[in-house]
Amino acid sequence: MNRILTWWHRHLAARLFLAHLLVIAVGGLALLAAGESVAPKAFDRHLAAMARAMQHMMGRGPGWANGADLNADLFRNFNAALNEAMLVAMLAAGSIAAAVSWFVSRRIVAPIEAMSRASRRIAEGHYDERVQVPARAIENTDELGELALNFNRMAARLARTEASRRQWLADISHEMRTPLASILAYAEGLQDGVLPQEPETYSQIVREARRLQRLVEDLHELSKLEAGAFTLERRVLQPAPLVEGVRQRFAPAAAAKGITLRADVPADAPPLWADEERLTQVLSNLVDNAIRHTPAGGSVTMRVAFPHTTGAKGIVRFEVSDTGEGIPPEHLPHLFERFYRVDPSRSRTRGGSGIGLTIARLLVEAHGGRIWAESRGKGQGSTFIFTLPVAAQ
């Protein structure tokens, strides 16, 4: 019995079918009840009229009326009584059936009207609007209940998107404000003669302008990636030359900071099916972050592992590990969000626009891979890992 009730609650079509049956049954019962109530009275009234007519005819003497006249009059009175009973019964049954239909339709239409009102509110910018769903209906709900729940999920997603958009604008304003303020301060200092017109002063202005330029370029890159307005120039790539190229590119920066930069790529690593330029961009971003967050005397290692060492068939695993500052566990899930900072008080003067990891995530996912970070905590170093599919044999 419970299974039948659960099935009935979860299927709108069954409820609509049963609702129609209910209306038909109520109408039939009302028709019978009205007929039973009205028909005897109607027949009694018409039979009484017929009896009076017969007495009148009998008072005029025999031969006044014949059998045909009596049959016709009997038929007329019977037909009138039947029509009267049917008319009253149909009116009563129709009224009751209409009332039941209205009640059932209101139960069905009410959630749709609520969603319509909520959708209008959301269209007006009120993203906190929700459709009320009874707690008891969440577990055993029908298609309309599912629609309401999905509507609420959509509204929540829109609210998060709107909040993200506002935060995005605030972050952009904050990131651009610092270099612009520095450039303006240096320009006003030179104009007022407060700062000397020396190469170091101009170098500071150029440094801040390049920082601003890098931010604008990263924002442009991010907008294209999020909109899907880019194409991957995939081809078969060997991991070893790719990793070695990134190592050579960052070797001078690592050496200048006193950091050992290593590459560990097995000679038999399988080829990749990837865009060389985009993959180099991902590796470069991760290595640059590792170098910036690793103190002198530390090390940064690029490592490649493939199926027989990871247990994942058809997947190549890239790792960029460092012995640097480390990352508290609560920050790990948020590292690839735009402008996210482990330390909010830290400025961007140490490098990075704050969206490099977001760009890396989007590029890896576009290749059909995934990216994540691991760290045992502050001061324990960190490892950034991403996977890519191997090239088809």
Side-chain angles (χ1 to χ4, degrees), residues 345-374:
S345 63
R346 179 180 296 159
S347 68
R348 299 287 186 200
T349 56
R350 295 179 59 179
S353 62
I355 54 178
L357 289 178
T358 306
I359 292 175
R361 174 179 60 81
L362 292 171
L363 288 174
V364 169
E365 291 175 352
H367 280 85
R370 55 185 294 261
I371 186 170
W372 69 96
E374 297 177 354

Side-chain angles (χ1 to χ4, degrees), residues 71-209:
N71 288 338
D73 192 57
L74 178 63
F75 175 77
R76 283 194 301 272
N77 282 281
F78 175 80
N79 191 47
L82 180 62
N83 290 338
E84 181 181 342
M86 289 296 296
L87 178 62
V88 173
M90 288 176 62
L91 289 174
S95 300
I96 296 174
V100 173
S101 298
W102 182 85
F103 175 76
V104 172
S105 65
R106 290 303 305 166
R107 292 290 300 267
I108 295 173
V109 172
I112 299 176
E113 292 180 341
M115 282 184 279
S116 177
R117 290 191 297 269
S119 64
R120 285 196 296 270
R121 292 276 296 168
I122 290 175
E124 294 169 357
H126 303 282
Y127 296 102
D128 58 342
E129 191 72 19
R130 298 291 184 274
V131 177
Q132 295 298 323
V133 180
R136 59 181 177 81
I138 294 178
E139 292 296 329
N140 298 319
T141 186
D142 57 12
E143 289 85 350
L144 283 177
E146 284 290 336
L147 180 61
L149 291 173
N150 290 331
F151 182 92
N152 287 342
R153 295 188 189 104
M154 179 194 70
R157 182 65 180 270
L158 286 173
R160 288 194 298 270
T161 301
E162 177 63 13
S164 178
R165 184 187 69 84
R166 292 176 180 175
Q167 186 63 41
W168 164 253
L169 293 175
D171 290 338
I172 292 176
S173 301
H174 176 75
E175 296 299 328
M176 298 184 73
R177 185 185 299 116
T178 303
L180 284 174
S182 298
I183 293 172
L184 182 60
Y186 279 111
E188 290 177 345
L190 288 171
Q191 184 180 37
D192 297 338
V194 177
L195 294 176
Q197 298 184 14
E198 297 177 351
E200 178 61 26
T201 304
Y202 294 112
S203 296
Q204 290 288 348
I205 295 176
V206 170
R207 188 178 300 112
E208 294 296 336

Side-chain angles (χ1 to χ4, degrees), residues 322-364:
D322 63 65
T323 58
E325 301 169 357
I327 305 168
E330 64 270 17
H331 294 285
L332 292 175
H334 307 288
L335 291 176
F336 299 94
E337 297 176 4
R338 295 174 296 195
F339 297 115
Y340 186 80
R341 302 185 187 186
V342 174
D343 183 3
S345 63
R346 179 180 296 159
S347 68
R348 299 287 186 200
T349 56
R350 295 179 59 179
S353 62
I355 54 178
L357 289 178
T358 306
I359 292 175
R361 174 179 60 81
L362 292 171
L363 288 174
V364 169

Side-chain angles (χ1 to χ4, degrees), residues 228-239:
F230 71 101
T231 56
L232 295 175
E233 302 294 335
R234 295 178 188 249
R235 64 183 183 86
V236 178
L237 298 176
Q238 294 296 332

Side-chain angles (χ1 to χ4, degrees), residues 11-90:
H11 292 82
L12 179 62
R15 295 172 67 182
L16 287 174
F17 177 72
L18 292 176
H20 284 89
L21 288 182
L22 177 63
V23 171
I24 294 172
V26 169
L29 290 175
L31 184 63
L32 289 175
E36 288 291 333
S37 174
V38 175
K41 296 179 180 178
F43 278 111
D44 288 343
R45 187 169 57 255
H46 285 279
L47 286 175
M50 180 179 166
R52 288 195 298 272
M54 290 181 65
Q55 290 176 358
H56 178 70
M57 289 186 294
M58 291 177 65
R60 294 192 178 186
W64 175 259
N66 56 35
D69 293 333
L70 290 176
N71 288 338
D73 192 57
L74 178 63
F75 175 77
R76 283 194 301 272
N77 282 281
F78 175 80
N79 191 47
L82 180 62
N83 290 338
E84 181 181 342
M86 289 296 296
L87 178 62
V88 173
M90 288 176 62

